Each structure stands twice: as structure tokens, then as C-alpha cells.
Amino acid sequence: MTKVTAPAAKAAEAFQRLHERAPEGVWSAPGRVNLIGEHTDYNDGYVLPFALPHRIAVAASPRTDGVLTVSTLGDDGGVQSADPAVVADLVPGTVKGWAAYPSGVAWALREQGVPVTGGADLVIAGDVPAGAGLSSSHALECAVALALLGLAGVDAERTDIARWVQRSENDFVGAPTGILDQTASLCCIEAHALFYDVRSGKPEQVAFDAAASGLEVLVIDTRASHTHVDGGYGARRAGCERAAAILGVPALRDVDSAELDDTLVRLPEELRPLVRHVVTENDRVLRTVELLRTGKLADVGPLLSASHASLRDDYRVSCLELDIAVDSAMAAGALGARMVGGGFGGSAIALVPVERHGEVERSVLAGFASRSLARPRLFTAVPSAGAGRDR
Ligand code: GLA
């Protein structure tokens, strides 16, 4: 069992208050940042995330009447409860808003043959910043998945659970996302980044200790909102699939970077930047993994910045706030910086020498203030434990 985290204790207390009994168990799952490898997951490529210390916890007990109740504890201590749902009757499209995430997981597990139709009471508490591109919704889904599997007494491979959670998000919630975030939340371990080859499905832990190199990964939550249920993400994903079909390859992962220029001319002009991003980004992940393995962490900086430029100029998923975060961190001595996650808002990361922390932070805050943008939230990210049972 993982150690009891503050969200786990809060979820257990709230459960006791609401249901006047202790939960049968508490499970939690972390948010993530992706060191590098963006928009590569749904192209069968490579990603390199690590788990944040921030977690979403789910206190849970089984029911026998087939009903799923879900309540969530807000930052103000208030509890919001979704309309109770009958698990056996869950159908995609029937649950709207935040409740679609936990209900979708129950639906996906049911479809998978996991005995969840008895129902359950779930109470959620967490500290993963919501809407910040740090995977709060995936952390919620992964914690719910572990809770429902735990109540059902079913043990499953983490990579399989990630696929079931992805299915709930794609088919129930209606967000066409890849498998990066669920895999990160479920498979990451402390002090490591997770090198995940989506095609092979084999997670590999790579030691990642920035502090030992006098560095830190600073997260800059721009507070610019983002969502992947609307069109921008899906349009790019569809563009990648169209390009792969034209090139006659199963996925863009199969485009050889040494032949990139020759490959691009075979594509309609509007698809070329998408392909260039995916192919070069996969390459950057492999180079980053190599640098981590050989302890050359500082050399990762330029790869992060190249990733950002590619996401900004070729993939076109950055935004003003993300560019300001990256540029102002670099101007104050960051070794590299990039947006993380799907884009259109959310967070950026900067690789910063520890002694430049103050300067970088001041520069970022000043960059936002000078454009009258909301004050971003900054924190140092330490690779933390993946999802697990807390009690
Ligand atoms: C979002 C999605 C992931 C991945 C990233 C971009 O976070 O949920 O599957 O595609 O965007 O790398």
C-alpha cells in the first residue's frame, strides 16, 4: 500500500461524514507532467512522463442495489453529489459534466466484464489543480478504476487498466485522447520518468533525479483553460491519421526521421507540419531518454525548447500564455522550457538550475503581469509515486 496522502485522509473523512460509516478502502492516483513526447501517443510513438505529488483520492464502499453514487469534496469543504446512476443502465452520452468521468470508468469496467453492477459509493477528494493540463481528470478516472477493481477483488495489469480508462474517456466522455495520461498515473514510480513506447505497450522506468544535477523542473500553470472535448485536439489527431493513410503506414511512428523531407513532399501541404512535429518529437524523446541514462540532464534543455517550438509552430497547439511562460523562463536562465499536455492552455515546464529558481519565477510573474494576465501558479515538480491503494 502507498502511504496515506492528505487527499486520501480527506476523502475518507468526507465519506464517513456523508455515509455515516468508514469506507471499505481508499485509492488514489497522481496527476502528471510529461517531460517530453507530446501528441506522439496517438501516433503509436514515445512519451516520457513522470507523476506529480498531487493526487486524487477515492474513498469507496460497495453497494448491493446496483446504484453508483459519486460525491466530490470541493476546496471550500463543500460536497457536490452527482445524480445516482444505475451501473447496469449506463450508456455513453447519458451522463454529463464531471460525473461522466467516474461513471464512464464504471461503464468501461462493466463492458470489460468486471463485476461492478452491484454499485458503489464513491467520495472523491484531491489536490491536482483542475483544468491545468496536469491530468486531474485522468487521475480521477484512474483512482476510480482502482477503487472499483479493488471493491470487486479483481487484479489487472496496469497497462490494461490504462486502456480501459482510455476507453471510458474516448467512448463515454467523448474526448478523443490518447493513452499518455492514464499510463503515467498508473505506471509511474517515485524518482523516475516513465519511458513508454505506446506501440509495444512496455513501460520502462528511467531514473530521473534533477536535484542530483543541481536542477529542478518548474511547473508553470498558466491558468489559461483548456479542454480536449472540443475540436482542436481531435482535428490534429484526425490529420495525423489521414497523413498515415496517405503514406501507407500504420501510424506516423513508422515514418523514418532520416527520410522526413522526402516523406513530407508526398503529403498535402496542410498535413506536413503535423507530420514534421510527430516525427521530430519521437526523435527528441529517444534522445532525451539517452541523456537521462547517461546522466546528462542539463543537455535535455535544448530538446525541451525544440519541442516547444515544434508544438507552437508546426502543431500549433500553444497559446499566448504558454509562449510567455516559456520565453520568460528562458530569458531568466532556464536551460529549456516547453508546454506540456494537449495544449491550448494549461501548463508549461522549465528545466532550471536550482540557483536560478528565484530569477526564473520573477521573470515569469513579470511576463504575465506586464500583459495583465492572471498570475500563474508555479511549483517544483518531483517525480512521485503512481496510483495505488492508500488504506
Ligand atoms: C492530452 C491527452 C494525451 C496526449 C497529450 C498530448 O494530455 O490526454 O493522450 O495526447 O494531450 O501529448
Side-chain angles (χ1 to χ4, degrees), residues 324-339:
I324 291 172
V326 165
D327 293 345
S328 52
M330 292 303 290
L335 302 181
R338 60 180 290 273
M339 53 154 281

Side-chain angles (χ1 to χ4, degrees), residues 338-358:
R338 60 180 290 273
M339 53 154 281
V340 293
F344 312 107
S347 296
I349 53 169
L351 186 65
V352 177
V354 172
E355 70 277 7
R356 315 268 322 174
H357 176 110

